[in-house]
Amino acid sequence: MDDDRITIDVTDGAAIPRRKDAGLFSAWWIAFLGALLTLVSLLVFEPDPYLKILKFLPDGIVVTFQVTFASIGFALLLGLLTGIGRISKNRIVNAVASTYVEVVRGIPLLVQLFYIYYAMGRFVKVPDIVAAVIAMSFCYGAYMGEVFRAGIESIHKGQTEAARSLGFNPFQTMVHVILPQAWRTILPPVGNEFIALLKDTSLVSILAVADLLRRGREFASETFTYFETYTIIALVYLIITLILSKLVSKMEEKINYYA
Amino acid sequence: MKKVVLCLLTVLMLSSSAWAKKIVIAQDATWPPMEFMNENKEIVGFDSDYMKAAAKEAGYEVELRNVAWDGIFAGLDAGQYDAVCSSVTITDERKKAMDFSEPYFKVRQALVVPKESAAKTLEDMKGKTIGGQIGTTGYFVTKKVEGVNAKSYDEIGLAMEDLFNGRIDGVVCDDPVAAQYALQKAEYAAKLKIAAVLDTGDEYYGVAVKKGNKEVLDLINKGIAEVQSKGLDKEMRAKWMGQ
Amino acid sequence: MPDSDPIIRIENVSKHFGALKALNNVSLSIESGEKVVIIGPSGSGKSTLLRTINRLEEVDAGTIIVDGWDIRNAGNNINKIRMEVGMVFQSFNLFPHKTVLRNLTLAPTKLKGESRAEAESNAMRLLDKVGIRDKADVYPAKLSGGQQQRVAIARALAMSPKIMLFDEPTSALDPEMIGEVLDVMVKMAREGMTMVVVTHEMGFAREVADRVVFMDHGEILEVGTPAHFFEDPQHPRTKKFLSQIL
C-alpha cells in the first residue's frame, strides 16, 4: 500500500522537519537554538529596550494564537465540506464548492481580509477578532478544501466500493473508511497550512486586531525602536513556528503506524 | 559606451547639484485636510501647501513623498528622505529621537462620536473602545485614560470607518482632521459628530528632521518664518479649513 | 411447496459507458442457494453485470429485484439491501487502517448494532473458517495476497449475507495462492450460500457451479450446467472462448 501514497506539496508553510533531518545539526535545530540564543542574549545583555518590548507583547501573542486556532478549526471544517463538495457528483454542490475555491484563490488574502472585515461592518456587528477569524477561515477553508480533495482522491476507489458494498452509506463511508486513511495524506499539508495561517494572522493587524505584530508596532511607534522591536517580533514568530513544525512532524511519525 | 553613460551621469549629477538644494519631505497622505491624495494622485493639503510656500520663500526645492505613518520616522532615521511634515506634534518623547523645526501650527485633540452619544470628555468614555491612528498623539492620550480601551489603526480613515460601522465608540485625532471627517464627508457627517475638543493641552506641529541635520532644519525654519511674516499661513488655513 | 421467487431477478437490463454498450438487454434469474459462475472474455460485461446486483453500477434500463427488493426504486434503502449482499473484489480492498479483526467487526458493529464482543466472537469464528485466526491482530499490509482475500471473504460473511458476489477473486493472486482462496469458496458453496462468481477458474466452475453463464459484448450468449457447457457448448463464440482458455 505504500507505493500509492501521494504527497501533496503546499508552499508557504514552514519547512516541516522530516525524519532524515534528525540530529543536532539539522536545519531545524540550528534555527531553533540560534533563535533562542539570540533572543535570550538580547534580553540578558540589553534588557532596555529588548525586555521592555517582550513584556509589551504577551497579550498580542495570545491574540495571535486565538485567531490561529479558531481559524484553523473553522477552516478545517469548511475545508472538509469544500473538499467533499468538490468531488460531489451533485452538480449544484460541486458548482458552489468549486466557485468558492476559485473566488478565494483569485483574491489576495490581504484584500479578502480588508473586504470581509469592512464589508461585514456594514451589515453585521461582530467584534474585530471574530471578523478576523471569519475572514481567515473563509480564505483558508478554500486552501484546506483543495488539501482535503486531494487527500480523499488519493484513497483508492476500491475502498469506497468495499465500504458501500457492506452497507455503509456515503457519510459513514467517509467517516469510518476514507477520512481515517486520507488523514495520512492530508496531515502534512494541513500542518503546513496551519503554520502558514499562523504567519498570515500577522495580516489581521491591519484590521486593528491587537495581535503580536500590532502590539509590536504600537510599541515601536511610541518609542521609535523599530529595529529592536521587529527583531523581537521576528524571533518570537520564528520560535513559535519552529516549535509547531516540530510538533507536526512528530504527529506525522505517529500517524504512520500501520504502514 | 560605458564611458558615455558615465559622463552623462556625472553631468547630470553636477547639474542637479548646481540647482537649488532639494529637500525630500515625507507625508502620510491619509490625514485630510492636512495631507491627502487628490484625484490626480498628488499630495495636497495644508501641510503640503505650507512646505511648498516655505521652499519658495527660502529658495530651495521640495519633493513630497507619500509614506505610511507607521514607520515614517524609521525612514527618516534611515535617511530615505530629509524631513517629515505630516501633522507631527512636537513631543518630548519625539524630541529625543529627532530634531524639530519651529512650530508652524497649533492643534488640539478632538473626540469624534456617533450623533446619539452624550459623551463630552474622554472620562465619559470609560468602558468603551476608542480608536486612534497608531503612533499619534490622539492614540497616546486615549491610552493614558484609565478604563478606556484604546485601539490603534494604521490609518485614521479606517478608525472612522469602524466608528461609522459601530465597531468602536469613538475616535480621537487632531481637530482639523476630526472636522474633515465628522463635518465635511456627507456620509459620516450624517452619523458622527465632534463631541469635544479635548482638554489635553495645545499641541504644535513641527517639521521633523534627522537628529543633527542642521542644514535642512535651517532652510525649513527660514521658510516657515517667511511664510508666517507674510501671513501666507492664514490664506492656507482659509483654503483648507475654512477658518 | 411451490418454488419461491428467485432471490435475484435481472430483467432486460442495459447499460452504456458513453458509446460503449456494456450490457445489452440482459436477463438472468438466480435461485436461492444456487451457484452461478459467469465467464467470458475481458470486456464482455460480466463484471458490470455482477456489480449491478448491489448497485455499485447503476443501469440505464431494466429491472433488478434482489430478495424481493427492487433495487432501482429510490424508495428502497440500498444500504439495507447491500447488507444482505456480500461482495469480494479482485483487489481485496481491505481497510488498511484497521486490523484484520476490526476489518471484520467494523460493519456489524456500526451497521447492525452488534456489540463489540458479539461481533468479535463471530469474527474469530469466521477467521477460523478461512484459516487465518492467528492473524486477527495484524494490519492487512502484513498479509499475503491469498490471506488478504480470505480476510475479505470473511469480512463479507461477517454481515451474514444471503448472497455472495465474487468479482474475479483470484485474478490478482500469485498462482500458488489461488488454491487457498478457492478452497474457502468451495467450502462456502457446500454450506448452501447463494453465490454469483465472475472468474476465469474453469476448474472451480466445473466443480461448484449449478449453472455457467457465458457473456460476450454485453450479452448473455449461453447458459447451462457445467456438463453441458464444457462438454457440448452450442454457441460458436463459446466454443472459441473455451478453446482459447482450456
Side-chain angles (χ1 to χ4, degrees):
Chain A
M1 285 282 151
D2 260 25
D3 313 355
D4 47 28
R5 255 177 71 200
I6 294 172
T7 42
I8 307 162
D9 280 320
V10 178
T11 53
D12 198 36
I16 295 188
R18 305 291 156 194
R19 204 185 293 262
K20 66 176 165 57
D21 302 332
L24 210 57
F25 292 99
S26 69
W28 189 90
W29 277 106
I30 294 170
F32 184 72
L33 293 179
L36 214 55
L37 207 67
T38 311
L39 184 64
V40 170
S41 46
L42 285 177
L43 296 178
V44 170
F45 296 114
E46 271 191 80
D48 187 12
Y50 288 107
L51 193 60
K52 278 190 190 159
I53 296 169
L54 194 67
K55 279 183 175 162
F56 196 80
L57 299 179
D59 60 336
I61 297 176
V62 170
V63 168
T64 292
F65 274 113
Q66 281 172 338
V67 172
T68 304
F69 281 104
S71 303
I72 199 84
F74 287 117
L76 279 174
L77 201 67
L78 199 55
L80 175 60
L81 294 178
T82 308
I84 293 173
R86 290 268 280 166
I87 49 181
S88 167
K89 291 196 188 89
N90 183 318
R91 282 189 188 197
I92 295 170
V93 172
N94 196 310
V96 168
S98 301
T99 310
Y100 162 59
V101 171
E102 286 301 323
V103 168
V104 169
R105 294 213 302 188
I107 304 173
L109 182 55
L110 186 58
V111 177
Q112 289 181 55
L113 287 173
F114 256 115
Y115 183 79
I116 292 175
Y117 185 77
Y118 287 103
M120 230 164 40
R122 297 261 154 161
F123 305 110
V124 285
K125 302 258 174 302
V126 292
D128 51 12
I129 191 164
V130 176
V133 167
I134 291 174
M136 294 295 294
S137 312
F138 184 77
C139 307
Y140 268 83
Y143 304 145
M144 292 292 183
E146 289 304 90
V147 171
F148 273 101
R149 182 175 68 95
I152 292 167
E153 281 180 344
S154 75
I155 303 305
H156 195 265
K157 193 168 128 258
Q159 290 291 311
T160 306
E161 291 190 344
R164 297 305 306 275
S165 75
L166 285 167
F168 287 104
N169 66 30
F171 176 78
Q172 293 164 326
T173 302
M174 199 47 88
V175 170
H176 295 301
V177 176
I178 304 303
L179 287 180
Q181 296 183 57
W183 191 235
R184 283 206 307 169
T185 318
I186 288 169
L187 187 72
V190 162
N192 264 319
E193 291 289 302
F194 174 65
I195 291 160
L197 191 146
L198 184 128
K199 290 189 297 175
D200 279 350
T201 57
S202 61
L203 292 172
V204 306
S205 74
I206 58 144
L207 307 180
V209 173
D211 73 331
L212 169 56
L213 178 58
R214 172 152 291 266
R215 279 287 180 250
R217 288 165 64 193
E218 283 170 357
F219 188 89
S221 69
E222 210 168 335
T223 55
F224 312 105
T225 52
Y226 291 95
F227 169 74
E228 295 85 348
T229 307
Y230 280 106
T231 304
I232 294 289
I233 293 176
L235 285 171
V236 170
Y237 270 119
L238 183 59
I239 290 170
I240 292 173
T241 54
L242 284 171
I243 291 173
L244 286 177
S245 66
K246 193 70 169 179
L247 284 179
V248 170
S249 88
K250 287 275 174 230
M251 268 167 75
E252 267 178 56
E253 278 172 28
K254 269 227 161 92
I255 209 150
N256 277 329
Y257 60 95
Y258 63 81
Chain B
M1 191 61 200
K2 258 189 188 158
K3 269 190 182 157
V4 181
V5 175
L6 216 68
C7 279
L8 276 171
L9 276 176
T10 320
V11 170
L12 267 173
M13 266 149 60
L14 284 175
S15 61
S16 70
S17 64
W19 293 92
K21 167 83 182 168
K22 186 179 193 181
I23 297 179
V24 180
I25 296 182
Q27 300 192 308
D28 171 24
T30 62
W31 198 249
M34 307 310 284
E35 46 268 326
F36 58 102
M37 284 285 183
N38 69 7
E39 291 90 345
N40 302 324
K41 299 185 185 115
E42 296 156 345
I43 308 175
V44 295
F46 178 88
D47 279 349
S48 316
D49 277 6
Y50 206 114
M51 283 300 101
K52 284 179 199 156
K56 200 172 149 206
E57 295 302 321
Y60 59 91
E61 274 193 54
V62 284
E63 181 194 321
L64 302 179
R65 194 175 292 170
N66 187 14
V67 176
W69 179 257
D70 182 33
I72 203 168
F73 298 118
L76 180 69
D77 194 50
Q80 286 166 8
Y81 28 80
D82 305 307
V84 176
C85 176
S86 192
S87 307
V88 183
T89 300
I90 303 168
T91 64
D92 289 342
E93 190 68 36
R94 284 177 181 155
K95 271 200 261 180
K96 282 185 215 152
M98 57 198 109
D99 286 340
F100 278 98
S101 70
E102 294 301 317
Y104 67 93
F105 191 75
K106 187 175 102 175
V107 287
R108 308 184 75 172
Q109 293 303 313
L111 171 65
V112 181
V113 292
K115 274 233 158 74
E116 62 275 12
S117 168
K120 285 283 166 222
T121 66
L122 274 184
E123 279 68 30
D124 295 342
M125 301 293 286
K126 284 215 161 68
K128 302 240 164 88
T129 301
I130 299 181
Q133 186 176 4
I134 187 169
T136 61
T137 44
Y139 175 68
F140 296 150
V141 299
T142 310
K143 236 179 79 173
K144 283 203 193 93
V145 184
E146 197 101 1
V148 170
N149 179 22
K151 191 160 160 52
S152 72
Y153 288 83
D154 284 11
E155 296 171 15
I156 198 66
L158 301 180
M160 291 290 180
E161 174 74 10
D162 259 8
L163 176 61
F164 177 77
N165 287 332
R167 277 209 180 98
I168 56 176
D169 308 298
V171 169
V172 173
C173 60
D174 296 351
D175 57 348
V177 180
Q180 182 73 20
Y181 277 101
L183 308 178
Q184 308 288 320
K185 195 169 181 278
E187 202 184 9
Y188 287 163
K191 239 179 122 176
L192 307 178
K193 66 173 182 186
I194 296 182
V197 173
L198 300 173
D199 191 20
T200 52
D202 291 341
E203 294 180 9
Y204 294 93
Y205 287 171
V207 180
V209 301
K210 189 173 176 170
K211 231 176 186 5
N213 191 350
K214 202 163 175 316
E215 187 195 1
V216 169
L217 194 63
D218 288 348
L219 279 173
I220 290 173
N221 273 333
K222 188 178 161 204
I224 290 174
E226 290 288 328
V227 168
Q228 284 175 344
S229 72
K230 284 191 182 170
L232 296 175
D233 50 340
K234 294 197 178 58
E235 289 170 27
M236 292 177 217
R237 186 185 282 264
K239 177 181 171 192
W240 293 107
M241 277 155 266
Q243 49 171 302
Chain C
M1 204 171 93
D3 247 1
S4 56
D5 280 339
I7 195 163
I8 300 170
R9 209 168 80 220
I10 299 168
E11 279 173 10
N12 309 111
V13 160
S14 294
K15 173 165 183 74
H16 300 252
F17 289 117
L20 179 81
K21 260 197 163 141
L23 294 176
N24 189 12
N25 205 25
V26 172
S27 296
L28 180 69
S29 282
I30 296 169
E31 299 296 326
S32 184
E34 199 179 8
K35 288 95 186 107
V36 174
V37 171
I38 306 175
I39 62 172
S42 63
S44 59
K46 55 192 192 304
S47 277
T48 306
L49 178 64
L50 187 79
R51 290 158 57 89
T52 61
I53 296 171
N54 65 350
R55 219 173 84 183
L56 280 186
E57 219 68 77
E58 305 266 0
V59 299
D60 301 328
T63 309
I64 301 168
I65 311 285
V66 176
D67 195 27
W69 298 88
D70 179 355
I71 68 161
R72 294 195 65 208
N73 183 339
N76 288 332
N77 186 345
I78 185 66
N79 300 314
K80 280 261 184 297
I81 300 166
R82 280 174 177 157
M83 289 187 210
E84 300 189 351
V85 184
M87 186 154 192
V88 176
F89 301 86
Q90 180 178 345
S91 52
F92 328 138
N93 296 343
L94 292 179
F95 304 137
H97 60 301
K98 304 280 187 195
T99 61
V100 164
L101 186 64
R102 198 73 188 112
N103 261 274
L104 266 67
T105 58
L106 188 68
T109 52
K110 301 291 177 196
L111 300 177
K112 290 174 118 183
E114 284 182 24
S115 72
R116 189 109 180 205
E118 191 183 352
E120 279 179 5
S121 83
N122 193 31
M124 290 311 288
R125 185 181 57 78
L126 289 168
L127 286 177
D128 215 16
K129 192 165 165 182
V130 300
I132 33 180
R133 191 189 171 91
D134 53 323
K135 301 287 186 193
D137 295 321
V138 306
Y139 286 94
K142 296 268 187 291
L143 300 180
S144 72
Q147 289 171 323
Q148 288 197 44
Q149 193 61 300
R150 284 186 281 151
V151 172
I153 293 170
R155 177 177 68 178
L157 289 175
M159 290 297 280
S160 318
K162 293 182 177 167
I163 302 163
M164 284 288 287
L165 308 178
F166 294 84
D167 189 2
E168 306 203 24
T170 55
S171 301
L173 295 176
D174 293 334
E176 73 273 17
M177 295 175 182
I178 291 175
E180 61 191 66
V181 172
L182 290 180
D183 286 347
V184 169
M185 290 170 65
V186 169
K187 209 196 276 183
M188 203 190 305
R190 296 219 174 98
E191 288 171 5
M193 176 64 74
T194 308
M195 293 166 70
V196 186
V197 183
V198 171
T199 187
H200 296 291
E201 294 298 325
M202 294 306 144
F204 176 81
R206 222 189 268 262
E207 183 185 343
V208 172
D210 297 313
R211 278 188 296 162
V212 177
V213 175
F214 177 72
M215 286 186 73
D216 199 9
H217 297 305
E219 293 177 3
I220 292 180
L221 296 184
E222 195 162 354
V223 182
T225 61
H228 154 87
F229 206 84
F230 291 105
E231 314 307 335
D232 187 22
Q234 301 298 308
H235 200 284
R237 267 191 269 168
T238 318
K239 287 179 189 164
K240 189 172 168 229
F241 176 74
L242 289 173
S243 73
Q244 277 165 353
I245 75 167
L246 287 177

